[in-house]
């Protein structure tokens, strides 16, 4: 086990850093979009206009 970590240790650390960065970025974007929607006072539901294509 020690030999495996010695060989792939830097790669595992880089993988964990990338994974953590992606998680934090996703949470940040979600919070930012929620704040934008709340600040815009969007209360109506979106209703598509046009003809119904499913019959």
């Amino acid at each position: 086990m020690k030999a495996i970590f010695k060989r792939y240790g830097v790669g595992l650390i880089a993988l964990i850093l990338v994974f953590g960065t992606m998680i934090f970025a996703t949470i940040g974007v979600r919070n930012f979009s929620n704040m934008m929607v709340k600040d815009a006072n969007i209360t109506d539901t979106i209703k598509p206009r046009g003809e119904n294509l499913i019959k």
Side-chain angles (χ1 to χ4, degrees):
M1 184 70 177
K2 200 172 194 178
I4 292 172
F5 183 72
K6 219 175 188 183
R7 179 177 287 178
Y8 300 111
V10 176
L12 288 173
I13 290 170
L15 185 65
I16 290 169
L17 285 174
V18 168
F19 181 71
T21 303
M22 289 176 65
I23 294 293
F24 284 127
T26 303
I27 292 170
V29 167
R30 188 185 62 186
N31 289 338
F32 181 69
S33 67
N34 288 341
M35 282 191 308
M36 284 181 59
V37 169
K38 187 169 59 171
D39 289 343
N41 293 326
I42 298 173
T43 56
D44 297 337
T45 57
I46 298 173
K47 296 177 186 170
R49 295 181 293 179
E51 62 182 286
N52 188 6
L53 300 176
I54 302 173
K55 297 180 181 180

